Amino acid sequence: MLDHILSILIFFPALAAMLGFVVHKDSMRSYGVAVATIEFALSLWLWFAFDSTISGMQFMEQIALVPTFGINYIVGVDGISLFIIILASFFTMIGIASLGETKDVKNMIITLLFLQMTMAGVFAALDAIVFYLFWELSLVPMLYIIGAWGGPLRIYASVKFFLYTFAGSLVMLVGMLFMAYFYFQATGQWSFAILDWYRLILPESFQLWLFVAFFLGFAIKVPMFPFHTWLPYAHGQAPTIGSVILAAILLKMGTYAFIRFSLPLFPDASVYFMYPIAVLAIIMIIYTAMVAYAQKDIKQVVAYSSVSHMGVIILGTFALNVEGISGSIFLMIAHGVVSGALFFLVGVIYDRRHTKYMSEFGGLAHVMPRYATIFGLMMMASVGLPLTINFVGEFLSLLGFYKQSHVLTLLAGTAIIVGAIYMLSAYKKMFFGVITKDENRNLPDVNKRELLALIPLAIITVWLGIYPKPVLGTIDTSVEAVVSLMHEKAISKEAKSRIPNIANETDMTKNSVEEAH
């Protein structure tokens, strides 16, 4: 079974979703929880069986699809993708278990299971066409979730989300076709296998154009400034579960793709565009933080906060060293946990009051102490308080980029302080002071269904903040292989100097240990 565990992880939710059409609507919630729990258990088994000392791909499967053009179903997992797959199955499970929707629940759960398939497929795919198919298919369930269960502007928000991401993906597809053509020119054979492409060494001029093609597709998905305008609408109009999955998993597709495609395929272009991308990332951090501070709607505060933290992930990714890239991957997981929890928490209060305006609240800590405690913990994690999960990822991301530019890192670090200001301000408005609205005096605290989602997220936030090694150690091994590949493929002296030589660093470490002994 382990030989095919990735295919099972990908297609089991889709098969279960199709069978869900014949399940009675009254039993659908239990059915969805059972399917998602099995999927999560399989992802944990994948982690248990994963060898963290191996840097390459594991559990690989390959089936020929269009042999003439080298298109194959190839899947595999390494330390970079492992934990994002686990995170996707975990959020699907707790999302269905704590689902507050009462309208058309059966179709909602079927849609979430189809979405689960596309998420697992994106992070496991090792063939560019298969990756592209899962990448595009993920748009359809999310379009339906926002359009069918969203707020008053749901149609506008869902169409804008679809058009932005679909347009960027088409440019990315052109880049993939060129990569396959270059591989054909070099070897006489067509191939869309990403691991085959890793062996190509392209001239710097080709790298620059291809980097831009891939960048557009990935940057819109992240979303990077100035492509971010679709996200606040999508978050603002989406139902709670839609915002949770979007923030926790779907945004990570873009940052993951940078590490899987852009860095190892185009090392010279990555160095060439490092500073412009860093500047865009810092604008993301500062600009969206300031916009978040100006918001009156708590969900929009969390939405813009999410974009701001994605800027730190981008900064770590383009540090182009082990510390930065490992930190950015860890921060993807941390951001997923914390922002997902914050959107859950916003959904809790919206279910009770049917408003998201902070002016409608105040003094909630008196009537909802458990809710206030969990919200406070997640808010502190969001601003990067030490001993919480975000701190580890942010610290490593900034430490990695500090090796490339002291000034830009200092600017990014001070900008994160703005995050603390707007989150503390929002918390003060909602939870402290006296209760001024009579509607808030008898609000029920979080119930068992809501705690089912929030308590595991709170535990993970503290546990991985204190002891990140089980996750970080596995990530490091695979990131070292990526950085080593980038250094080997780099052509220009500038790229060689910016991308560390892992082999030399390892030899120096060994020599230092031997001298110490």
Side-chain angles (χ1 to χ4, degrees):
M1 187 172 172
L2 267 175
D3 292 340
H4 303 287
I5 189 167
L6 283 177
S7 290
I8 295 168
L9 273 167
I10 293 167
F11 296 110
F12 170 66
L15 179 62
M18 287 187 281
L19 292 174
F21 284 111
V22 299
V23 175
H24 193 274
K25 63 179 181 180
D26 294 339
S27 306
M28 195 63 203
R29 195 183 293 268
S30 301
Y31 175 78
V33 170
V35 170
T37 303
I38 293 168
E39 176 80 357
F40 179 58
L42 286 170
S43 69
L44 290 180
W45 188 23
L46 181 73
W47 185 9
F48 180 76
F50 188 87
D51 187 345
S52 59
T53 61
I54 297 174
S55 61
M57 294 293 169
Q58 299 178 45
F59 309 109
M60 286 187 67
E61 300 172 49
Q62 180 167 342
I63 301 169
L65 297 177
V66 188
T68 311
F69 290 102
I71 300 172
N72 303 287
Y73 168 78
I74 309 173
V75 291
V77 68
D78 62 359
I80 295 167
S81 53
L82 172 67
F83 296 106
I84 311 179
I85 291 173
I86 295 170
L87 192 70
S89 62
F90 177 67
F91 265 102
T92 306
M93 180 183 71
I94 64 171
I96 294 174
S98 62
L99 197 62
E101 292 290 331
T102 54
K103 171 193 164 188
D104 210 2
V105 174
K106 179 174 178 174
N107 286 345
M108 168 70 88
I109 291 172
I110 288 171
T111 307
L112 287 170
L113 292 176
F114 273 118
L115 183 59
Q116 168 69 49
M117 174 200 71
T118 65
M119 293 188 293
V122 164
F123 297 115
L126 294 177
D127 181 277
I129 296 298
V130 174
F131 173 88
Y132 179 78
L133 289 174
F134 282 122
W135 176 281
E136 293 292 65
L137 283 174
S138 69
L139 301 180
V140 180
M142 186 51 66
L143 175 80
Y144 182 48
I145 288 171
I146 298 171
W149 289 275
L153 296 174
R154 59 185 181 274
I155 303 301
Y156 173 78
S158 58
V159 170
K160 187 170 185 177
F161 156 74
F162 185 88
L163 290 178
Y164 261 66
T165 46
F166 186 71
S169 303
L170 289 177
V171 182
M172 175 181 76
L173 178 62
V174 173
M176 289 175 172
L177 295 174
F178 269 101
M179 280 299 300
Y181 175 73
F182 288 137
Y183 188 85
F184 174 75
Q185 292 286 82
T187 64
Q189 292 181 321
W190 289 93
S191 177
F192 285 88
I194 299 168
L195 299 182
D196 285 346
W197 290 359
Y198 283 177
R199 297 201 294 268
L200 281 178
I201 298 178
L202 299 172
E204 190 172 358
S205 57
F206 287 177
Q207 287 189 39
L208 296 177
W209 286 107
L210 285 167
F211 182 94
V212 170
F214 280 84
F215 174 81
L216 282 172
F218 303 155
I220 291 171
K221 182 72 90 174
V222 169
M224 286 183 67
F225 176 88
F227 309 110
H228 68 286
T229 56
W230 64 265
L231 185 68
Y233 282 100
H235 272 314
Q237 298 302 313
T240 298
I241 186 63
S243 291
V244 169
I245 298 292
L246 183 61
I249 311 299
L250 295 185
L251 300 189
K252 310 305 177 294
M253 290 182 180
T255 47
Y256 163 80
F258 276 125
I259 297 167
R260 181 65 76 218
F261 286 90
S262 301
L263 302 192
L265 290 179
F266 319 118
D268 294 276
S270 297
V271 171
Y272 183 87
F273 287 112
M274 178 176 64
Y275 287 124
I277 289 173
V279 169
L280 286 178
I282 291 168
I283 292 171
M284 278 175 73
I285 297 167
I286 300 171
Y287 167 69
T288 52
M290 293 172 70
V291 174
Y293 183 70
Q295 296 302 306
K296 298 176 181 178
D297 179 332
I298 183 61
K299 196 172 188 182
Q300 290 295 314
V301 173
V302 178
Y304 280 106
S305 166
S306 177
V307 180
S308 184
H309 287 95
M310 293 301 287
V312 183
I313 294 174
I314 293 293
L315 205 64
T317 300
F318 282 90
L320 308 180
N321 52 42
V322 175
E323 294 88 350
I325 299 171
S326 293
S328 73
I329 296 165
F330 191 88
L331 189 53
M332 286 184 218
I333 298 158
H335 179 273
V337 170
V338 174
S339 64
L342 286 170
F343 279 114
F344 265 127
L345 288 160
V346 171
V348 167
I349 199 67
Y350 182 75
D351 287 344
R352 285 154 175 72
R353 282 292 322 275
H354 299 289
T355 181
K356 294 171 284 188
Y357 285 101
M358 290 180 283
S359 58
E360 290 293 315
F361 303 108
L364 287 183
H366 299 295
V367 291
M368 302 176 71
R370 290 198 298 269
Y371 178 73
T373 302
I374 297 171
F375 202 113
L377 172 64
M378 289 305 170
M379 183 265 299
M380 289 296 181
S382 179
V383 302
L385 185 75
L387 301 184
T388 61
I389 190 170
N390 267 29
F391 173 77
V392 179
E394 287 185 359
F395 175 77
L396 287 172
S397 297
L398 294 175
L399 177 67
F401 205 81
Y402 187 78
K403 294 184 175 181
Q404 303 289 10
S405 170
H406 299 352
V407 175
L408 289 177
T409 307
L410 183 64
L411 193 59
T414 53
I416 291 172
I417 296 169
V418 182
I421 294 170
Y422 67 72
M423 288 305 284
L424 287 167
S425 173
Y427 193 78
K428 176 187 171 185
K429 290 175 187 174
M430 289 185 66
F431 293 95
F432 294 149
V434 296
I435 300 171
T436 56
K437 303 281 183 180
D438 290 335
E439 300 94 322
N440 298 331
R441 294 190 186 279
N442 298 309
L443 288 177
D445 209 342
V446 280
N447 56 39
K448 289 180 181 177
R449 175 179 58 80
E450 292 157 347
L451 288 173
L452 195 65
L454 294 170
I455 287 179
L457 293 172
I459 291 169
I460 292 168
T461 298
V462 177
W463 168 48
L464 288 180
I466 295 170
Y467 187 59
K469 187 180 177 182
V471 172
L472 207 50
T474 305
I475 292 170
D476 272 347
T477 306
S478 294
V479 169
E480 284 175 4
V482 171
V483 174
S484 180
L485 177 66
M486 289 173 67
H487 183 85
E488 287 172 18
K489 288 179 62 176
I491 301 169
S492 67
K493 289 182 180 178
E494 171 74 3
K496 287 283 188 187
S497 65
R498 292 286 182 184
I499 303 168
N501 187 344
I502 300 297
N504 281 358
E505 288 188 1
T506 307
D507 291 341
M508 287 170 63
T509 305
K510 287 179 181 176
N511 292 338
S512 300
V513 171
E514 288 169 4
E515 286 170 11
H517 283 300

